[in-house]
Amino acid sequence: MPGPRRPTGSARARYAGSTVCSGLQLPAGPTPGERLCSTEEATAGSGTYTRHGFIFSSLAGCLEKKTEDNELPVVSVVRDSESQLLPNVGAVVTCKVCSINSRFAKVHILYVGSTPLKSTFRGTIRREDIRATERDKVEVYKSFRPSDIVLAKVISLGDAQSNYLLSTAENELGVVVARSEAGVPMVPISWCEMQCPRTHTKEFRKVARVQPQFLQT
Amino acid sequence: MPLDHRRLRGPEESQPPALWAGTAAEDEEDEEGAGAVPRDPCALRPLFARAGLLSQAQGSAYVELGSGTKVLCAAWGPREAAEPGPGRLLCEFRRAPFAGRGARGRPGAAAEREAEREAAAALREALEPAVRLGRYPRARLAVSALLLQDGGSALAAAVSAAALALADAGVEMYDLAVGCALCRPPAPAASWMLQPAEPEERRAAARLTLALLPALNQVSAVLGGGRGGPPEDWAQALRLGLDGCHRQYPVLRQSLLRAAQRRDAAAAAGAAAAAATSA
C-alpha cells in the first residue's frame, strides 16, 4: 500500500542535475512536457517534439544526447524497458503465416526489426506482392504454408477493411523458417525450394536469401 | 392459509435503518455549517500521487486527495484497431459500489451508467489534446479509471490519475493533464472555492472542473454549470482553477520521476540476479 511521501535528498539532487549531459544516460530523466533545450542547440530525436523553437520531451524516461561530428547533437528520450513500436511503412517485420488463400496469405506480425511486439498485429501478403518477377503466375500454396516464419516489408498501413499490407518482393525477404509435413525444420536449397532433412522431400517456398554475414563456411 | 415461500417476511416489528442514518448525516452538516471556520477558498487539499503500482496494466496511477477522494487508474499501450487514421483513445470511468456515502438509489440503474458514460466522455475530452495520437496510427489506447471513494472533485482527480497512468505506460504525450475542481456555495455573495469536499459539492449552486496542460499552458477541458453569477465571476473562477492546476503539477511530476527510478532499480536488480544465476 502506498505510504506517506518522504522526499529523499538523493532524488532531489539527481533531478536538479539531470539537465543535458553529452553521451550519458541519467536516471530520473525528463517527464512529458519538460522543456529540454532550444532547436538551435540540438535537433529533436525520438521521444521529443518541437514547439515554438524549443525541444520538449514527450516520454518519462532517460535523456540521451548523441553528438555527431559535423551536425548538431541529437537529443532523444528513451524508455529502455519497453518501447511501444508500431510497424511503419518500409519497416522489415517478422511474421508468422496463419492462413493462406488463393489470393493472399494472412499473417500475424510478431517482431518489428528486432524488437518484439507486445500485442500482435495482423497483416496480409497479397498474391501479387509475393515475388518481384512473374507476379501473376505465383501460387500462394507454393510460396507459403501456415506456421511459416516470414520476413516481409510493410508497404501500407491499410484502409478500413484491410490490415497491414506486406510484401516479400525482394531477395532478402521471404520464408526464413518452415517445417515440413513431417514436422522437421527444413533446409533451403534454392530460392524456391526447401528440403526436409529426414524424409528428403522437397517443398516449394519463396525462400529468403541468407545475408552473407550469417553464412558459415 | 398456505405460507408464501417466495417472499422473505421480516419481523412484525421493524423500523427502516434510514431513520437513524438520516439524523446522523444532518448532525454532521449542521456542525460543519454552523461551527466550522470558513475555509480558505484558495487552499489546496493535500495531494498524494503514485505511479507504477499495478503489474497487470502497462501503466497505472493512484491519486488521493485530502478530502478522501481516491482514484485508481490503469492504462494500456497501443493495440491494434480496425479503423484507419490516427490512433484513438478509449476512456472508461467506473464508480465502485462503495464509493459514495449513504445508500445507492438503485444499484445498476440507468442513471448511474449514464453518469459514468458522461464522466468517461469528459475524461476523453480532457486527455485527447495531451496524447500524441498521430504517433500511433491504426492503434487503440485504453484508459480505465476506478473511483474508490468519492470525497469531492472526483473527475478532476481522475483526469490527473489518467494522465499519470498514460505517461507511466510509455505513451508519447505532449504534456501531463492536471485536473482541478471548483464550486460556489449557494449564499448570495459567496466566492468560488478550490477542490470542494463532498458535502460542499452537494450543496453547491455551481460547479466547475478544469483540465490544464501546464507546461504548454493550454486548457484542454472546461466542464461545469450552475448559477454562478455574472460572467466576470466565472472568469475569476477559471483563473483560480488554473492557478490550482499549476500548484498541483510539481507533485504529479515528482511521482512520475519516482516511478521511473523504482522501475530502473527493479530492472537493475533483475539483471543482476539473472547474471548471478547464469554465472
Side-chain angles (χ1 to χ4, degrees), chain B residues 194-219:
Chain B
L194 268 183
Q195 289 198 328
E198 208 238 332
E200 292 164 354
E201 220 177 55
R202 218 175 337 131
R203 281 178 286 159
R207 296 179 201 92
L208 191 64
T209 306
L210 281 181
L212 172 75
L213 309 180
L216 305 174
N217 216 14
Q218 285 179 0
V219 175

Side-chain angles (χ1 to χ4, degrees), chain B residues 35-127:
Chain B
V37 176
R39 55 163 275 212
D40 176 16
C42 304
L44 276 182
R45 311 263 177 187
L47 171 74
F48 175 82
R50 179 173 158 134
L53 52 144
L54 290 179
S55 58
Q56 306 96 317
Q58 285 175 5
S60 52
Y62 172 78
V63 166
E64 184 173 334
L65 292 176
S67 53
T69 308
K70 301 177 171 79
V71 181
L72 178 65
C73 192
W76 287 269
R79 287 195 199 140
E80 197 183 3
E83 295 85 17
R88 295 195 317 155
L89 185 68
L90 298 171
C91 294
E92 194 206 350
F93 182 87
R94 280 183 303 144
R95 283 178 74 100
F98 42 84
R101 298 194 79 166
R104 286 162 82 186
R106 276 180 58 187
E112 281 188 5
R113 285 198 297 269
E114 193 56 45
E116 286 182 0
R117 246 175 284 152
E118 272 184 36
L123 256 189
R124 182 162 176 229
E125 188 186 331
L127 288 175

Side-chain angles (χ1 to χ4, degrees), chain A residues 111-124:
Chain A
Y111 286 71
V112 175
S114 48
T115 47
L117 290 177
K118 268 192 243 56
S119 62
T120 51
F121 289 80
R122 299 179 141 266
T124 307

Side-chain angles (χ1 to χ4, degrees), chain A residues 2-8 11 14-15 27-29 31-34 47-49 51 56-60 62 79-82 84 86 118-122 157-160 162-164, chain B residues 47-50 53 58 62 77-84 132 135-139 167-176 215-216 218 249 251 253-254 256-258 260-261 263-264:
Chain A
R5 284 189 299 129
R6 269 189 307 272
T8 52
R14 245 181 292 170
Y15 168 64
T31 52
E34 189 176 322
T48 57
Y49 66 96
R51 193 168 281 208
F56 293 82
S57 156
S58 76
L59 282 180
C62 302
R79 249 177 90 107
D80 29 40
S81 49
E82 309 111 30
Q84 318 272 7
L86 286 184
K118 268 192 243 56
S119 62
T120 51
F121 289 80
R122 299 179 141 266
L157 299 177
D159 54 0
S162 69
N163 311 314
Y164 284 87
Chain B
L47 171 74
F48 175 82
R50 179 173 158 134
L53 52 144
Q58 285 175 5
Y62 172 78
R79 287 195 199 140
E80 197 183 3
E83 295 85 17
R132 289 182 78 181
R135 292 276 294 158
Y136 300 105
R138 278 190 79 105
D168 186 49
V171 171
E172 291 204 22
M173 303 173 72
Y174 289 115
D175 197 3
L176 284 179
L216 305 174
Q218 285 179 0
Y249 186 48
V251 179
R253 281 193 65 217
Q254 196 67 12
L256 258 192
L257 294 174
R258 286 225 190 83
Q261 281 175 24
R263 204 177 24 239
D264 290 340

Side-chain angles (χ1 to χ4, degrees), chain A residues 2-117:
Chain A
R5 284 189 299 129
R6 269 189 307 272
T8 52
S10 60
R12 284 245 183 89
R14 245 181 292 170
Y15 168 64
S18 71
T19 46
V20 172
C21 182
S22 64
L24 272 187
Q25 273 199 27
L26 290 164
T31 52
E34 189 176 322
R35 194 166 74 182
L36 300 174
C37 59
S38 80
T39 43
E40 284 132 34
E41 299 165 25
T43 41
S46 75
T48 57
Y49 66 96
T50 50
R51 193 168 281 208
H52 305 310
F54 288 98
I55 301 182
F56 293 82
S57 156
S58 76
L59 282 180
C62 302
L63 185 66
E64 258 188 16
K65 190 173 182 189
K66 292 194 192 100
T67 34
E68 311 282 320
D69 294 325
N70 298 329
E71 298 149 10
L72 284 175
V74 176
V75 161
S76 59
V77 180
V78 172
R79 249 177 90 107
D80 29 40
S81 49
E82 309 111 30
S83 58
Q84 318 272 7
L85 266 193
L86 286 184
N88 281 323
V89 175
V92 174
V93 298
T94 307
C95 34
K96 181 169 184 159
V97 179
C98 45
S99 67
I100 57 174
N101 197 335
S102 60
R103 283 175 296 141
F104 49 79
K106 289 224 185 263
V107 302
H108 277 308
I109 302 180
L110 304 173
Y111 286 71
V112 175
S114 48
T115 47
L117 290 177

